[in-house]
Amino acid sequence: MTAPFNRFAWTGLLSLTLVACSSPPKPPTVDETQKRPANAQMAVELQVCKNDLQNTRILATESSRLAETTAATLAHMAARQQLLASIQEKAAANSLRIVHFAFNSTQVSIPAAEASALVEEAKVSPLVLLRGRTDGTADTFAESRIAQARANAVRDYLVASGVDPTRIRTTHQPSGDHLANNRSPQGRNLNRRVEIEVYRTLPIAQQTAQQQP
């Protein structure tokens, strides 16, 4: 025989189930052993060290960039100073005369009237600069030798004419620095030369050298 249905017992059971299901969840627990003060001394010191390291890296990078910029600026200034000195030397020259030479020759040939004016001017000038040149296209030993020999030949000519040898300076260039088109015979004739620069006053570089003990 089936037991009679107890309506009141079933209703009570259902009410207990609903109450259990509607209970709010428990809040999560926190492990108090893992907590640290927000401004713990160790944490503060660690952050300070990190900041110092970052600042040091930034300073090192900026210092490197500054050094590179400074080196480039100094190199540029040195190049400009050298160029200005060269320009000043040429501007200070009282006159520029040119002696031309035959092919492979070092024999000096200057017209009498021009030679007389040159010698008189060179005698009273503090500096006479001789630049030997060739019609060469490469800096070979042979071209260098003849360029120097031409400058020396003009120096000897001036000294023999009474110019103080201590006032004469010589330089030479084996190739390049051509006056005319070096591909034509006429141009090569003009390029085989010695340039005579006569100065009324010493260039800055020469003045500095003489002032040094």
Side-chain angles (χ1 to χ4, degrees):
M1 171 181 263
T2 305
F5 175 72
N6 190 333
R7 182 171 60 85
F8 296 102
W10 176 255
T11 302
L13 180 60
L14 180 60
S15 298
L16 291 175
T17 303
L18 292 175
V19 171
C21 291
S22 61
S23 299
K26 294 182 179 181
T29 59
V30 177
D31 187 357
E32 297 293 336
T33 61
Q34 300 298 323
K35 294 179 66 176
R36 293 289 187 274
N39 294 325
Q41 183 65 26
M42 184 179 296
V44 173
E45 293 179 356
L46 179 60
Q47 186 61 42
V48 171
C49 289
K50 289 181 179 179
N51 292 339
D52 290 344
L53 180 60
Q54 180 65 18
N55 291 336
T56 302
R57 291 175 178 173
I58 294 174
L59 289 175
T61 302
E62 292 300 325
S63 298
S64 178
R65 291 177 181 175
L66 180 60
E68 293 177 359
T69 303
T70 302
T73 301
L74 291 176
H76 180 67
M77 291 176 62
R80 285 179 58 85
Q81 186 175 6
Q82 185 176 3
L83 177 61
L84 288 175
S86 177
I87 294 174
Q88 288 174 348
E89 282 190 4
K90 290 186 178 295
N94 187 42
S95 65
L96 173 63
R97 303 174 186 271
I98 298 177
V99 179
H100 295 286
F101 292 82
F103 175 74
N104 207 31
S105 172
T106 60
Q107 183 176 356
V108 179
S109 178
I110 306 176
E114 183 177 347
S116 177
L118 169 62
V119 169
E120 292 304 316
E121 188 177 17
K123 284 181 178 179
V124 296
S125 299
L127 175 65
V128 179
L129 180 59
L130 309 177
R131 303 178 186 272
R133 298 292 187 264
T134 74
D135 59 354
T137 57
D139 292 350
T140 64
F141 174 78
E143 294 292 341
S144 180
R145 179 187 59 79
I146 195 170
Q148 184 176 16
R150 286 170 178 166
N152 291 340
V154 175
R155 179 198 60 197
D156 295 342
Y157 176 91
L158 293 175
V159 171
S161 301
V163 179
D164 185 354
T166 62
R167 300 180 180 181
I168 302 175
R169 300 288 184 274
T170 63
T171 182
H172 65 282
Q173 183 171 325
S175 64
D177 194 21
H178 296 145
L179 285 178
N181 186 354
N182 204 50
R183 297 180 180 179
S184 67
Q186 296 81 4
R188 290 193 291 272
N189 288 338
L190 295 176
N191 294 332
R192 295 189 295 267
R193 70 196 189 279
V194 170
E195 296 176 350
I196 307 173
E197 296 179 5
V198 182
Y199 291 81
R200 63 170 66 92
T201 59
L202 284 175
I204 296 177
Q206 292 288 334
Q207 294 177 10
T208 304
Q210 289 188 359
Q211 292 172 359
Q212 292 177 352

